[in-house]
Amino acid sequence: MHLLPLVLYAAAAAAYVAHFAWRDARTGRLATGTLGAGVLAHTFVIGMQTMEAGHAPLVGTSAAISAFVWMLGLSYLYVELTSDERSMGMFVALLMVLLDVIPALDPAITPRPPLLQSPLFTIHIVSVLFAYASFALAFVLGLTYVLLFKEIKAKQLGFFYMRLPSLQALDVMNARAVTVGWLCLTLGVAVGGIWATQVQASPDPRAQAMSVTDPKILVALVSWAVYSFAVVARRAAGWSARRAAYLSAIAFVLVLLNFVPIGYFLTKSHNF
Amino acid sequence: MRLFAIGLSHRTAPVDLRECVDFARGGVDVALSALASRGVGPEVVVLSTCNRAEIYAVGDSDATAERVGRFFSEYHNVPHARVAEHLYLRRGTEAARHLFRVAAGLDSLVVGEPQILGQVKAAYSTASDLHYTGALTNRLFHSAFAAGKRVRTETGLGEGAVSVSYAAISLAKKIFGHLKGRSVLILGAGEMAKLTGVHLQAQQVKAIAIASRTFSTAQNLASTLGGRAVPWEALDDALAEADIVITATGAAEVVLSRTRLEDAMRPRRNRPIFIIDIALPRDVEPAAGNLDQVFLYNIDDLQSIVQENLARRGGELRRAEAIVEEEVARFTSWMQSREVVPTVVALRQRFEAIRQGELARLEPKMAGLQPEARARIDEITRLIVEKLLLTPTEQLKALNDETTVVAYADALNKLFSLTARDSAPVIPDAPGDEGKDRTDATPSPGSRAGT
């Protein structure tokens, strides 16, 4: 069932690539429409899973990735519709396809263990995932900023110069995405911390593993520190837009690392 | 009815003559009514821009074109001999192709410039509002808009700046988004500085500051540009504020060194600065361009961008021409299917007239027949005529080349002495025996006649 959104995302990615290469307005509208249809289908899938399981399908890494892809799609569509700027769609849609392969291959819904039956769990995971979606957008915006910046500096005005919005626009959107992401991550980490102290008495071994030394928690805290630095460096230290762009592009690698390999293989506290 | 395009443009006429025959000066509406009063029309459109003056008209013969050609000199009180040698005349498909190329910007001085499509639209809507357009011109101009729009959206012809000042402004926009609210600093008060200042002013920048070694020349330029003069000593403060800096001093040595700019960037907290060095020798040390948020372009950089854009446009030309040809083919086939219609109608009327004439002539012989038999005779003769005309009609409608259409129409006109525009049937003096033969004929079974 999860194949339909994946197919639609892949079609949207192809259309965004074609739109980026040839800048045909009709292909652009087609890309947006297909992505919208993909998000809609994905919403339906998540809705069905919720009905089936009796709770939101947020348990387990696959389900979390699925929810993340869905939120990224929604946030990107929001940005595209408000900024009337389609050139970032190619990068976002490709990232979505890449990640959505995981829940499509592993669509089973993990039953919710007693440990996670808390409203704090939903707040924790939704805010963290939304933070990651914002960071993904910041990553794409930072990447495109660097590409355009290099072209302008090298005085070789070509491919990206013709296709991307202004440096200023990319920088402003990047700053906004990082700030929103940082706020959500702060909330998610704080709620997670409070909740972890509440479940200390639980017999579940994962509750016992909830400590700063667990790789997942550690890397999340490092990410939070890096993004905090990004926010402060830009606002207080007057970091240049180029450095901020680089940082937001590189920091997302940390997020992805934490999300997929660590989430699957290394963590002892978050392996649901 | 044929389509004519008569006019002159930057390709055929010098600028002083183009200025003389500018229809826009006295109002295109006035020119249109003057044309109508000279018997040009009912369909006529006047296109007048600073690079061309053209009249698109629909008429029966080249006499219309001749009248329009004379109109250029008569209306503007210019000796006809002076205008005539610069005028071009295009007929039918050629006229359509010309207009489509004009609308697509292929005939413009700067190939691919986008303004011309708007000017063509304005010319059409002026004529249309005053009811000077009809079926042919409506279709012609809407096809031209389609061709122009397709060229703009499907090719990169209109892309990329093709003048140095436009290249600078589009770069500034790529860095800052829009230029509203941005402040500009101009170093130097010479002619180049002034020209660039005027261009930037048109972009609604927030403030223009001018600094020059001699304060009074800075003040002079500041008053013409509506800006503010900055004393040379306060240059560093002005640098800290400016977003866009134009340097055009006549100084022999470097004015803005890398270290000076590095110092200026600190209070700016890495706000980007775009420096355009149009001075020769250079005013800005090239190494300053390596600073993080300093975007430094000199006149040669801008020049080479312009050259690249021009070269790129050349590559897109072929695609644009192909689009125009597609639209021309589409329009032409419509026009031709329309052109044969009067001939087909005249042919049918002619045959019907012969039939009616024969029936009337044979009336005395049929007086004794039953009404039913008379009705049968009427039906049979009608079917014969239908069947005779079926193949020629189909063949005529299938013609797809203008000269053949005209040749066939001429031949039919002569063979059947048709007058295409005169719908009144001509009753011929047909020989009696021939008429008898026709009434005796019966349609073959399974005939498609009458369908």
Side-chain angles (χ1 to χ4, degrees):
Chain A
M1 189 163 68
H2 205 111
L3 272 178
L4 181 63
L6 178 62
V7 167
L8 286 169
Y9 290 151
Y16 273 115
V17 170
H19 170 65
F20 195 81
W22 295 293
R23 284 167 296 166
D24 175 54
R26 220 174 301 158
T27 321
R29 283 194 293 274
L30 179 76
T32 307
T34 319
L35 187 67
V39 171
L40 209 66
H42 201 159
T43 312
F44 182 72
V45 168
I46 291 176
M48 290 294 283
Q49 289 175 336
T50 310
M51 303 263 280
E52 217 178 302
H55 57 82
L58 295 168
V59 183
T61 305
S62 295
I65 290 172
S66 165
F68 164 78
V69 169
W70 179 73
M71 279 188 214
L72 180 57
L74 268 185
S75 334
Y76 169 73
L77 282 176
Y78 171 76
V79 171
E80 186 188 299
L81 293 178
T82 49
S83 68
D84 202 24
E85 190 48 70
R86 256 193 200 103
S87 44
M88 248 70 65
M90 176 177 87
F91 303 93
V92 174
L94 285 174
L95 183 67
M96 285 170 66
V97 172
L98 212 66
L99 286 172
D100 204 46
V101 170
I102 298 168
L105 290 177
D106 174 24
I109 313 163
T110 319
R112 189 161 61 166
L115 183 65
L116 300 184
Q117 278 161 11
S118 156
L120 289 180
F121 163 69
T122 314
I123 298 173
H124 168 70
I125 195 151
V126 166
S127 51
V128 168
L129 288 179
F130 193 73
Y132 289 177
S134 294
F135 292 149
L137 285 179
F139 159 76
V140 167
L141 289 160
L143 198 71
T144 47
Y145 180 96
V146 170
L147 290 170
L148 180 59
F149 181 90
K150 288 202 161 165
E151 274 200 1
I152 294 180
K153 273 281 190 182
K155 299 172 184 173
Q156 296 292 326
L157 310 183
F159 195 73
F160 295 108
Y161 186 85
M162 295 287 189
R163 287 162 175 83
L164 294 175
S166 66
L167 285 177
Q168 165 83 9
L170 290 172
D171 182 43
V172 167
M173 287 198 277
N174 180 292
R176 210 173 291 159
V178 168
T179 310
V180 169
W182 179 79
L183 287 172
C184 293
L185 187 62
T186 308
L187 177 72
V189 167
V191 168
I194 294 167
W195 180 40
T197 56
Q198 282 180 4
V199 296
Q200 278 300 314
S202 164
D204 194 313
R206 291 173 289 207
Q208 304 304 319
M210 295 284 177
S211 84
V212 187
T213 50
D214 182 79
K216 179 116 184 169
I217 297 173
L218 182 69
V219 177
L221 289 174
V222 172
S223 310
W224 181 82
V226 170
Y227 281 105
S228 305
F229 175 74
V231 172
V232 173
R234 188 192 277 274
R235 282 170 189 263
W239 252 34
S240 77
R242 180 185 62 95
R243 283 187 184 176
Y246 266 114
L247 184 62
S248 60
I250 294 162
F252 186 65
V253 175
L254 213 58
V255 170
L256 268 186
L257 198 72
N258 203 17
F259 205 19
V260 185
I262 294 180
Y264 270 109
F265 307 115
L266 295 173
T267 179
K268 289 192 166 57
S269 66
H270 280 67
N271 54 345
F272 295 100
Chain B
M1 292 305 240
R2 292 198 76 184
L3 182 66
F4 295 99
I6 304 101
L8 49 81
S9 75
H10 63 97
R11 288 189 194 279
T12 64
V15 64
D16 55 326
L17 181 62
R18 296 205 303 270
E19 277 167 4
C20 285
V21 297
D22 179 10
F23 289 107
R25 206 181 333 124
V28 169
D29 47 340
V30 181
L32 281 168
S33 64
L35 274 163
S37 71
R38 281 170 169 77
V40 179
E43 295 188 44
V44 58
V45 178
V46 174
L47 172 63
S48 184
T49 74
C50 45
N51 284 325
R52 70 182 66 249
E54 289 172 344
I55 295 173
Y56 294 85
V58 175
D60 297 333
S61 63
D62 272 8
T64 306
E66 179 62 29
R67 221 174 295 150
V68 173
R70 294 228 159 255
F71 179 76
F72 272 85
S73 47
E74 285 163 15
Y75 184 72
H76 293 107
N77 290 319
V78 184
H80 188 63
R82 202 183 147 207
V83 181
E85 59 174 316
H86 300 290
L87 282 179
Y88 43 77
L89 164 64
R90 307 263 188 278
R91 300 178 184 86
T93 304
E94 285 306 311
R97 178 174 292 119
H98 179 76
L99 177 63
F100 292 5
R101 294 189 75 247
V102 166
L106 291 170
D107 200 48
S108 296
L109 192 60
V110 177
V111 171
E113 55 98 6
Q115 284 92 342
I116 185 68
L117 184 56
Q119 289 164 331
V120 173
K121 282 184 178 166
Y124 168 74
S125 71
T126 306
S128 164
D129 289 349
L130 298 167
H131 308 291
Y132 285 113
T133 56
L136 192 55
T137 36
N138 285 338
R139 179 81 180 214
L140 173 74
F141 276 83
H142 283 109
S143 305
F145 303 156
K149 197 179 169 204
R150 280 190 61 199
V151 166
R152 195 159 57 182
T153 53
E154 293 174 27
T155 74
L157 197 66
E159 254 166 26
V162 286
S163 75
V164 166
S165 55
Y166 184 55
I169 284 170
S170 74
L171 253 169
K173 283 184 177 166
K174 227 11 168 210
I175 296 168
F176 296 113
H178 52 79
L179 301 185
K180 262 184 209 163
R182 298 288 168 185
S183 41
V184 175
L185 170 65
I186 300 175
L187 301 189
E191 201 51 36
M192 283 296 272
K194 184 179 165 188
L195 253 169
T196 324
V198 170
H199 273 293
L200 281 164
Q201 208 178 27
Q203 298 293 318
Q204 296 175 302
V205 293
K206 185 178 77 184
I208 298 184
I210 295 116
S212 174
R213 279 192 208 274
T214 26
F215 191 61
S216 59
T217 56
Q219 275 177 317
N220 282 340
L221 183 54
S223 64
T224 43
L225 289 177
R228 164 176 74 93
V230 176
W232 194 251
E233 301 73 45
L235 189 57
D236 287 317
D237 296 335
L239 268 178
E241 276 169 36
D243 297 301
I244 300 165
V245 179
I246 318 279
T247 66
T249 75
E253 73 285 4
V254 162
V255 178
L256 297 177
S257 65
R258 189 193 147 105
T259 37
R260 189 172 193 180
L261 270 167
E262 215 168 355
D263 293 340
M265 288 309 281
R266 222 158 283 137
R268 299 174 62 86
R269 296 172 62 92
N270 276 310
R271 204 152 45 83
I273 188 166
F274 179 34
I275 304 175
I276 307 153
D277 187 356
I278 54 176
L280 271 174
R282 308 260 156 83
D283 278 342
V284 188
E285 187 185 340
N290 299 334
L291 293 169
D292 190 341
Q293 290 291 313
V294 175
F295 299 93
L296 173 63
Y297 275 71
N298 62 40
I299 190 87
D300 294 337
D301 300 331
L302 294 175
Q303 211 95 54
S304 70
I305 291 168
V306 167
Q307 287 308 318
E308 266 173 47
N309 287 341
L310 282 173
R312 198 173 301 137
R313 281 191 181 191
E316 294 294 305
L317 262 180
R318 221 173 316 136
R319 285 175 63 202
E321 293 281 5
I323 289 172
V324 165
E325 281 314 310
E326 267 174 45
E327 293 296 328
V328 167
R330 193 176 301 171
F331 176 74
T332 308
S333 80
W334 173 81
M335 192 167 63
Q336 275 154 6
S337 69
R338 198 177 159 275
E339 266 172 16
V340 300
V341 168
T343 310
V344 169
V345 169
L347 198 61
R348 293 187 158 266
Q349 283 172 342
R350 179 80 174 143
F351 275 47
E352 177 64 12
I354 291 169
R355 189 179 76 91
Q356 294 290 351
E358 287 305 301
L359 286 176
R361 206 172 56 79
L362 295 171
E363 180 61 30
K365 290 187 184 174
M366 299 192 291
L369 294 175
Q370 293 289 321
E372 202 179 283
R374 293 178 61 135
R376 179 70 54 84
I377 290 170
D378 188 68
E379 171 75 7
I380 289 166
T381 52
R382 202 178 55 74
L383 285 175
I384 294 169
V385 169
E386 288 283 346
K387 184 143 201 233
L388 282 170
L389 282 174
L390 183 70
T391 317
T393 306
E394 280 175 349
Q395 294 289 339
L396 271 176
K397 284 188 172 168
L399 293 177
N400 56 5
D401 136 69
E402 194 180 7
T403 42
T404 325
V405 169
V406 173
Y408 273 54
D410 278 351
L412 285 167
N413 285 339
K414 286 209 180 72
L415 286 173
F416 294 97
S417 55
L418 305 172
T419 41
R421 273 164 302 284
D422 186 5
S423 55
V426 187
I427 299 177
D429 280 320
D433 52 344
E434 211 183 290
K436 202 186 273 173
D437 288 344
R438 283 184 197 170
T439 48
D440 291 346
T442 43
S444 60
S447 107
R448 283 164 64 206
T451 52

